[in-house]
Amino acid sequence: MSEECIFCKIIAGEIPADKLYEDDDVLAFWDISPQAPVHFLVIPKKHISRPVDIVEADEQIAGKLLRIGADLAKEQGVEDSYRVIFNNGAKSGQVVFHVHMHVLGGKEKPWPM
Ligand code: 5GP
Ligand code: ZN
C-alpha cells in the first residue's frame, strides 16, 4: 500500500468506489469519469506504479487483469467490442500511478482515453 495512492485508498475502503468484482489479488470498479457506456478499471491490489514497473513476479497478476476484464466484459454484454488500455507515464496520459487496466465498451471504437 502506498499512503498517497488514491487506488490503494479505494482498496483499503478509505475512499468509496462502485465495485464490480473483488478477490484477494484484484479489484474492478466503475470509472468515475466514464469515456464509454461501459468503462471500468481492473487493478492489482499490490501497489505497482506503472505498467513498466511490472516484474516477473507480477506475471500472474498481470494476466489475471486481462482474464477478469474479459469475464466482466462478458457480464456487461460488450464481449464483441471492447478495448483495454494501460497508460504508462504522465506523457501517455497516466494520471493515477497505480497500474490499472481500462476496459471500454458499449460503443463503436471506444477510443481514445
Ligand atoms: P489514467 O489517466 O491514469 O490512465 O486513468 C485514471 C482513471 O481513473 C481515469 O479514467 C479517472 O476517471 C479514474 N479515476 C480517478 N480517480 C478516481 C476515483 O476516485 N474513483 C474512480 N472510480 N475512478 C477514478
Ligand atoms: Zn496504489
Side-chain angles (χ1 to χ4, degrees):
M1 160 131 192
S2 159
E3 306 250 313
E4 304 301 310
C5 173
I6 192 167
F7 286 178
C8 282
K9 288 182 178 165
I10 286 176
I11 291 162
E14 292 167 15
I15 292 176
D18 193 2
K19 297 176 186 175
L20 291 106
Y21 176 82
E22 181 166 20
D23 65 22
D24 288 346
D25 308 316
V26 163
L27 177 66
F29 53 97
W30 293 104
D31 196 291
I32 205 167
S33 174
Q35 305 299 309
V38 173
H39 183 185
F40 58 86
L41 305 173
V42 190
I43 69 173
K45 287 197 168 174
K46 175 185 175 187
H47 180 85
I48 306 168
S49 293
R50 303 165 300 168
V52 74
D53 299 316
I54 290 170
V55 295
E56 197 173 348
D58 302 320
E59 264 176 20
Q60 197 176 351
I61 194 75
K64 191 167 180 181
L65 298 180
L66 282 167
R67 202 265 298 166
I68 295 296
D71 286 353
L72 293 172
K74 286 177 207 156
E75 248 178 60
Q76 296 300 320
V78 297
E79 67 271 22
D80 292 328
S81 60
Y82 71 92
R83 278 181 160 159
V84 298
I85 297 169
F86 287 89
N87 289 322
N88 182 85
K91 285 182 191 162
S92 80
Q94 186 177 5
V95 174
V96 178
F97 283 79
H98 179 128
V99 164
H100 50 280
M101 186 177 85
H102 294 265
V103 177
L104 294 124
K107 70 174 182 186
E108 237 177 83
K109 296 189 179 166
W111 185 271
M113 277 305 307

PDB file of all heavy atoms in Angstrom, residues 75-99:
ATOM      1  N   GLU A  75     -19.981 -10.249 -18.856  1.00  0.00           N
ATOM      2  CA  GLU A  75     -21.099  -9.940 -17.948  1.00  0.00           C
ATOM      3  C   GLU A  75     -21.826  -8.675 -18.359  1.00  0.00           C
ATOM      4  O   GLU A  75     -23.038  -8.550 -18.232  1.00  0.00           O
ATOM      5  CB  GLU A  75     -20.537  -9.718 -16.528  1.00  0.00           C
ATOM      6  CG  GLU A  75     -20.915 -10.776 -15.533  1.00  0.00           C
ATOM      7  CD  GLU A  75     -20.258 -10.481 -14.191  1.00  0.00           C
ATOM      8  OE1 GLU A  75     -20.515  -9.409 -13.600  1.00  0.00           O
ATOM      9  OE2 GLU A  75     -19.469 -11.332 -13.762  1.00  0.00           O
ATOM     10  N   GLN A  76     -21.057  -7.699 -18.863  1.00  0.00           N
ATOM     11  CA  GLN A  76     -21.631  -6.410 -19.248  1.00  0.00           C
ATOM     12  C   GLN A  76     -22.150  -6.412 -20.685  1.00  0.00           C
ATOM     13  O   GLN A  76     -22.651  -5.400 -21.173  1.00  0.00           O
ATOM     14  CB  GLN A  76     -20.590  -5.287 -19.075  1.00  0.00           C
ATOM     15  CG  GLN A  76     -20.149  -5.057 -17.637  1.00  0.00           C
ATOM     16  CD  GLN A  76     -21.311  -4.675 -16.730  1.00  0.00           C
ATOM     17  OE1 GLN A  76     -22.195  -3.900 -17.121  1.00  0.00           O
ATOM     18  NE2 GLN A  76     -21.327  -5.207 -15.517  1.00  0.00           N
ATOM     19  N   GLY A  77     -21.980  -7.546 -21.391  1.00  0.00           N
ATOM     20  CA  GLY A  77     -22.516  -7.689 -22.748  1.00  0.00           C
ATOM     21  C   GLY A  77     -21.713  -6.964 -23.813  1.00  0.00           C
ATOM     22  O   GLY A  77     -22.240  -6.643 -24.880  1.00  0.00           O
ATOM     23  N   VAL A  78     -20.441  -6.694 -23.538  1.00  0.00           N
ATOM     24  CA  VAL A  78     -19.619  -5.996 -24.540  1.00  0.00           C
ATOM     25  C   VAL A  78     -18.482  -6.885 -25.055  1.00  0.00           C
ATOM     26  O   VAL A  78     -17.477  -6.384 -25.574  1.00  0.00           O
ATOM     27  CB  VAL A  78     -19.056  -4.654 -23.993  1.00  0.00           C
ATOM     28  CG1 VAL A  78     -20.189  -3.695 -23.665  1.00  0.00           C
ATOM     29  CG2 VAL A  78     -18.152  -4.869 -22.778  1.00  0.00           C
ATOM     30  N   GLU A  79     -18.665  -8.214 -24.943  1.00  0.00           N
ATOM     31  CA  GLU A  79     -17.556  -9.121 -25.273  1.00  0.00           C
ATOM     32  C   GLU A  79     -17.132  -9.061 -26.736  1.00  0.00           C
ATOM     33  O   GLU A  79     -16.036  -9.473 -27.087  1.00  0.00           O
ATOM     34  CB  GLU A  79     -17.896 -10.565 -24.864  1.00  0.00           C
ATOM     35  CG  GLU A  79     -19.026 -11.216 -25.642  1.00  0.00           C
ATOM     36  CD  GLU A  79     -20.381 -10.961 -25.006  1.00  0.00           C
ATOM     37  OE1 GLU A  79     -20.527  -9.997 -24.240  1.00  0.00           O
ATOM     38  OE2 GLU A  79     -21.310 -11.732 -25.305  1.00  0.00           O
ATOM     39  N   ASP A  80     -17.992  -8.519 -27.610  1.00  0.00           N
ATOM     40  CA  ASP A  80     -17.629  -8.435 -29.025  1.00  0.00           C
ATOM     41  C   ASP A  80     -17.005  -7.103 -29.403  1.00  0.00           C
ATOM     42  O   ASP A  80     -16.635  -6.892 -30.564  1.00  0.00           O
ATOM     43  CB  ASP A  80     -18.869  -8.662 -29.906  1.00  0.00           C
ATOM     44  CG  ASP A  80     -19.373 -10.097 -29.800  1.00  0.00           C
ATOM     45  OD1 ASP A  80     -18.527 -11.000 -29.602  1.00  0.00           O
ATOM     46  OD2 ASP A  80     -20.592 -10.301 -29.881  1.00  0.00           O
ATOM     47  N   SER A  81     -16.914  -6.186 -28.462  1.00  0.00           N
ATOM     48  CA  SER A  81     -16.449  -4.841 -28.840  1.00  0.00           C
ATOM     49  C   SER A  81     -15.974  -4.065 -27.625  1.00  0.00           C
ATOM     50  O   SER A  81     -16.617  -3.122 -27.202  1.00  0.00           O
ATOM     51  CB  SER A  81     -17.580  -4.066 -29.497  1.00  0.00           C
ATOM     52  OG  SER A  81     -18.660  -3.945 -28.580  1.00  0.00           O
ATOM     53  N   TYR A  82     -14.842  -4.495 -27.090  1.00  0.00           N
ATOM     54  CA  TYR A  82     -14.277  -3.655 -26.034  1.00  0.00           C
ATOM     55  C   TYR A  82     -12.790  -3.463 -26.277  1.00  0.00           C
ATOM     56  O   TYR A  82     -12.161  -4.231 -27.005  1.00  0.00           O
ATOM     57  CB  TYR A  82     -14.570  -4.215 -24.637  1.00  0.00           C
ATOM     58  CG  TYR A  82     -13.832  -5.480 -24.242  1.00  0.00           C
ATOM     59  CD1 TYR A  82     -12.616  -5.417 -23.558  1.00  0.00           C
ATOM     60  CD2 TYR A  82     -14.350  -6.739 -24.521  1.00  0.00           C
ATOM     61  CE1 TYR A  82     -11.952  -6.573 -23.168  1.00  0.00           C
ATOM     62  CE2 TYR A  82     -13.694  -7.898 -24.143  1.00  0.00           C
ATOM     63  CZ  TYR A  82     -12.491  -7.804 -23.465  1.00  0.00           C
ATOM     64  OH  TYR A  82     -11.841  -8.955 -23.095  1.00  0.00           O
ATOM     65  N   ARG A  83     -12.274  -2.413 -25.667  1.00  0.00           N
ATOM     66  CA  ARG A  83     -10.846  -2.137 -25.755  1.00  0.00           C
ATOM     67  C   ARG A  83     -10.262  -2.104 -24.366  1.00  0.00           C
ATOM     68  O   ARG A  83     -10.939  -1.693 -23.421  1.00  0.00           O
ATOM     69  CB  ARG A  83     -10.607  -0.781 -26.429  1.00  0.00           C
ATOM     70  CG  ARG A  83     -10.657  -0.877 -27.922  1.00  0.00           C
ATOM     71  CD  ARG A  83     -10.397   0.451 -28.588  1.00  0.00           C
ATOM     72  NE  ARG A  83      -9.983   0.208 -29.961  1.00  0.00           N
ATOM     73  CZ  ARG A  83     -10.050   1.105 -30.930  1.00  0.00           C
ATOM     74  NH1 ARG A  83     -10.490   2.324 -30.690  1.00  0.00           N
ATOM     75  NH2 ARG A  83      -9.654   0.797 -32.142  1.00  0.00           N
ATOM     76  N   VAL A  84      -9.019  -2.492 -24.263  1.00  0.00           N
ATOM     77  CA  VAL A  84      -8.308  -2.324 -22.994  1.00  0.00           C
ATOM     78  C   VAL A  84      -7.163  -1.346 -23.225  1.00  0.00           C
ATOM     79  O   VAL A  84      -6.538  -1.334 -24.296  1.00  0.00           O
ATOM     80  CB  VAL A  84      -7.782  -3.649 -22.419  1.00  0.00           C
ATOM     81  CG1 VAL A  84      -8.922  -4.611 -22.122  1.00  0.00           C
ATOM     82  CG2 VAL A  84      -6.771  -4.305 -23.308  1.00  0.00           C
ATOM     83  N   ILE A  85      -6.943  -0.525 -22.226  1.00  0.00           N
ATOM     84  CA  ILE A  85      -5.888   0.487 -22.312  1.00  0.00           C
ATOM     85  C   ILE A  85      -5.130   0.511 -20.987  1.00  0.00           C
ATOM     86  O   ILE A  85      -5.745   0.537 -19.917  1.00  0.00           O
ATOM     87  CB  ILE A  85      -6.489   1.890 -22.561  1.00  0.00           C
ATOM     88  CG1 ILE A  85      -7.210   1.933 -23.908  1.00  0.00           C
ATOM     89  CG2 ILE A  85      -5.387   2.966 -22.514  1.00  0.00           C
ATOM     90  CD1 ILE A  85      -8.057   3.179 -24.105  1.00  0.00           C
ATOM     91  N   PHE A  86      -3.814   0.498 -21.109  1.00  0.00           N
ATOM     92  CA  PHE A  86      -2.950   0.775 -19.964  1.00  0.00           C
ATOM     93  C   PHE A  86      -2.170   2.035 -20.310  1.00  0.00           C
ATOM     94  O   PHE A  86      -1.399   2.028 -21.276  1.00  0.00           O
ATOM     95  CB  PHE A  86      -1.925  -0.344 -19.754  1.00  0.00           C
ATOM     96  CG  PHE A  86      -2.451  -1.638 -19.203  1.00  0.00           C
ATOM     97  CD1 PHE A  86      -2.911  -2.635 -20.050  1.00  0.00           C
ATOM     98  CD2 PHE A  86      -2.433  -1.881 -17.835  1.00  0.00           C
ATOM     99  CE1 PHE A  86      -3.364  -3.852 -19.549  1.00  0.00           C
ATOM    100  CE2 PHE A  86      -2.884  -3.097 -17.319  1.00  0.00           C
ATOM    101  CZ  PHE A  86      -3.348  -4.080 -18.175  1.00  0.00           C
ATOM    102  N   ASN A  87      -2.363   3.085 -19.585  1.00  0.00           N
ATOM    103  CA  ASN A  87      -1.500   4.243 -19.768  1.00  0.00           C
ATOM    104  C   ASN A  87      -0.247   4.060 -18.928  1.00  0.00           C
ATOM    105  O   ASN A  87      -0.303   3.541 -17.802  1.00  0.00           O
ATOM    106  CB  ASN A  87      -2.238   5.523 -19.357  1.00  0.00           C
ATOM    107  CG  ASN A  87      -3.329   5.876 -20.348  1.00  0.00           C
ATOM    108  OD1 ASN A  87      -3.163   5.712 -21.557  1.00  0.00           O
ATOM    109  ND2 ASN A  87      -4.462   6.341 -19.847  1.00  0.00           N
ATOM    110  N   ASN A  88       0.878   4.475 -19.481  1.00  0.00           N
ATOM    111  CA  ASN A  88       2.154   4.329 -18.774  1.00  0.00           C
ATOM    112  C   ASN A  88       2.928   5.642 -18.806  1.00  0.00           C
ATOM    113  O   ASN A  88       3.437   6.034 -19.853  1.00  0.00           O
ATOM    114  CB  ASN A  88       2.998   3.224 -19.407  1.00  0.00           C
ATOM    115  CG  ASN A  88       4.310   3.028 -18.671  1.00  0.00           C
ATOM    116  OD1 ASN A  88       4.356   2.307 -17.685  1.00  0.00           O
ATOM    117  ND2 ASN A  88       5.353   3.693 -19.104  1.00  0.00           N
ATOM    118  N   GLY A  89       2.977   6.306 -17.653  1.00  0.00           N
ATOM    119  CA  GLY A  89       3.728   7.553 -17.560  1.00  0.00           C
ATOM    120  C   GLY A  89       2.861   8.750 -17.875  1.00  0.00           C
ATOM    121  O   GLY A  89       1.885   8.670 -18.633  1.00  0.00           O
ATOM    122  N   ALA A  90       3.209   9.886 -17.271  1.00  0.00           N
ATOM    123  CA  ALA A  90       2.403  11.106 -17.396  1.00  0.00           C
ATOM    124  C   ALA A  90       2.222  11.528 -18.846  1.00  0.00           C
ATOM    125  O   ALA A  90       1.144  11.967 -19.254  1.00  0.00           O
ATOM    126  CB  ALA A  90       3.051  12.228 -16.587  1.00  0.00           C
ATOM    127  N   LYS A  91       3.274  11.343 -19.649  1.00  0.00           N
ATOM    128  CA  LYS A  91       3.184  11.789 -21.056  1.00  0.00           C
ATOM    129  C   LYS A  91       2.178  10.968 -21.843  1.00  0.00           C
ATOM    130  O   LYS A  91       1.676  11.413 -22.878  1.00  0.00           O
ATOM    131  CB  LYS A  91       4.556  11.700 -21.730  1.00  0.00           C
ATOM    132  CG  LYS A  91       5.498  12.798 -21.293  1.00  0.00           C
ATOM    133  CD  LYS A  91       6.815  12.686 -22.042  1.00  0.00           C
ATOM    134  CE  LYS A  91       7.853  13.592 -21.424  1.00  0.00           C
ATOM    135  NZ  LYS A  91       9.209  13.213 -21.839  1.00  0.00           N
ATOM    136  N   SER A  92       1.902   9.768 -21.387  1.00  0.00           N
ATOM    137  CA  SER A  92       0.917   8.917 -22.079  1.00  0.00           C
ATOM    138  C   SER A  92      -0.495   9.232 -21.624  1.00  0.00           C
ATOM    139  O   SER A  92      -1.467   8.714 -22.184  1.00  0.00           O
ATOM    140  CB  SER A  92       1.193   7.442 -21.798  1.00  0.00           C
ATOM    141  OG  SER A  92       0.676   7.088 -20.528  1.00  0.00           O
ATOM    142  N   GLY A  93      -0.603  10.042 -20.573  1.00  0.00           N
ATOM    143  CA  GLY A  93      -1.929  10.327 -20.020  1.00  0.00           C
ATOM    144  C   GLY A  93      -2.177   9.628 -18.700  1.00  0.00           C
ATOM    145  O   GLY A  93      -3.285   9.710 -18.160  1.00  0.00           O
ATOM    146  N   GLN A  94      -1.171   8.928 -18.160  1.00  0.00           N
ATOM    147  CA  GLN A  94      -1.380   8.290 -16.859  1.00  0.00           C
ATOM    148  C   GLN A  94      -1.480   9.365 -15.781  1.00  0.00           C
ATOM    149  O   GLN A  94      -0.594  10.220 -15.645  1.00  0.00           O
ATOM    150  CB  GLN A  94      -0.235   7.316 -16.526  1.00  0.00           C
ATOM    151  CG  GLN A  94      -0.518   6.530 -15.241  1.00  0.00           C
ATOM    152  CD  GLN A  94       0.559   5.504 -14.898  1.00  0.00           C
ATOM    153  OE1 GLN A  94       1.601   5.417 -15.556  1.00  0.00           O
ATOM    154  NE2 GLN A  94       0.304   4.739 -13.845  1.00  0.00           N
ATOM    155  N   VAL A  95      -2.580   9.320 -15.060  1.00  0.00           N
ATOM    156  CA  VAL A  95      -2.842  10.297 -14.007  1.00  0.00           C
ATOM    157  C   VAL A  95      -2.736   9.640 -12.631  1.00  0.00           C
ATOM    158  O   VAL A  95      -2.250  10.245 -11.684  1.00  0.00           O
ATOM    159  CB  VAL A  95      -4.253  10.919 -14.193  1.00  0.00           C
ATOM    160  CG1 VAL A  95      -4.606  11.815 -13.029  1.00  0.00           C
ATOM    161  CG2 VAL A  95      -4.319  11.691 -15.513  1.00  0.00           C
ATOM    162  N   VAL A  96      -3.215   8.406 -12.556  1.00  0.00           N
ATOM    163  CA  VAL A  96      -3.150   7.673 -11.283  1.00  0.00           C
ATOM    164  C   VAL A  96      -2.007   6.663 -11.381  1.00  0.00           C
ATOM    165  O   VAL A  96      -2.011   5.785 -12.263  1.00  0.00           O
ATOM    166  CB  VAL A  96      -4.478   6.951 -10.983  1.00  0.00           C
ATOM    167  CG1 VAL A  96      -4.358   6.165  -9.684  1.00  0.00           C
ATOM    168  CG2 VAL A  96      -5.625   7.954 -10.900  1.00  0.00           C
ATOM    169  N   PHE A  97      -1.043   6.799 -10.464  1.00  0.00           N
ATOM    170  CA  PHE A  97       0.162   5.979 -10.537  1.00  0.00           C
ATOM    171  C   PHE A  97       0.021   4.724  -9.681  1.00  0.00           C
ATOM    172  O   PHE A  97       0.764   4.507  -8.731  1.00  0.00           O
ATOM    173  CB  PHE A  97       1.397   6.830 -10.232  1.00  0.00           C
ATOM    174  CG  PHE A  97       1.754   7.679 -11.429  1.00  0.00           C
ATOM    175  CD1 PHE A  97       1.043   8.851 -11.698  1.00  0.00           C
ATOM    176  CD2 PHE A  97       2.713   7.254 -12.332  1.00  0.00           C
ATOM    177  CE1 PHE A  97       1.321   9.607 -12.834  1.00  0.00           C
ATOM    178  CE2 PHE A  97       2.991   7.999 -13.477  1.00  0.00           C
ATOM    179  CZ  PHE A  97       2.297   9.181 -13.725  1.00  0.00           C
ATOM    180  N   HIS A  98      -0.973   3.944 -10.061  1.00  0.00           N
ATOM    181  CA  HIS A  98      -1.192   2.569  -9.580  1.00  0.00           C
ATOM    182  C   HIS A  98      -1.734   1.847 -10.810  1.00  0.00           C
ATOM    183  O   HIS A  98      -2.765   2.268 -11.365  1.00  0.00           O
ATOM    184  CB  HIS A  98      -2.208   2.586  -8.419  1.00  0.00           C
ATOM    185  CG  HIS A  98      -2.533   1.235  -7.839  1.00  0.00           C
ATOM    186  ND1 HIS A  98      -2.459   0.966  -6.481  1.00  0.00           N
ATOM    187  CD2 HIS A  98      -2.964   0.095  -8.426  1.00  0.00           C
ATOM    188  CE1 HIS A  98      -2.824  -0.299  -6.267  1.00  0.00           C
ATOM    189  NE2 HIS A  98      -3.141  -0.842  -7.434  1.00  0.00           N
ATOM    190  N   VAL A  99      -1.026   0.815 -11.244  1.00  0.00           N
ATOM    191  CA  VAL A  99      -1.384   0.140 -12.505  1.00  0.00           C
ATOM    192  C   VAL A  99      -2.878  -0.130 -12.572  1.00  0.00           C
ATOM    193  O   VAL A  99      -3.480  -0.631 -11.620  1.00  0.00           O
ATOM    194  CB  VAL A  99      -0.608  -1.183 -12.648  1.00  0.00           C
ATOM    195  CG1 VAL A  99      -1.222  -2.076 -13.724  1.00  0.00           C
ATOM    196  CG2 VAL A  99       0.857  -0.925 -12.973  1.00  0.00           C
TER     197      VAL A  99
END
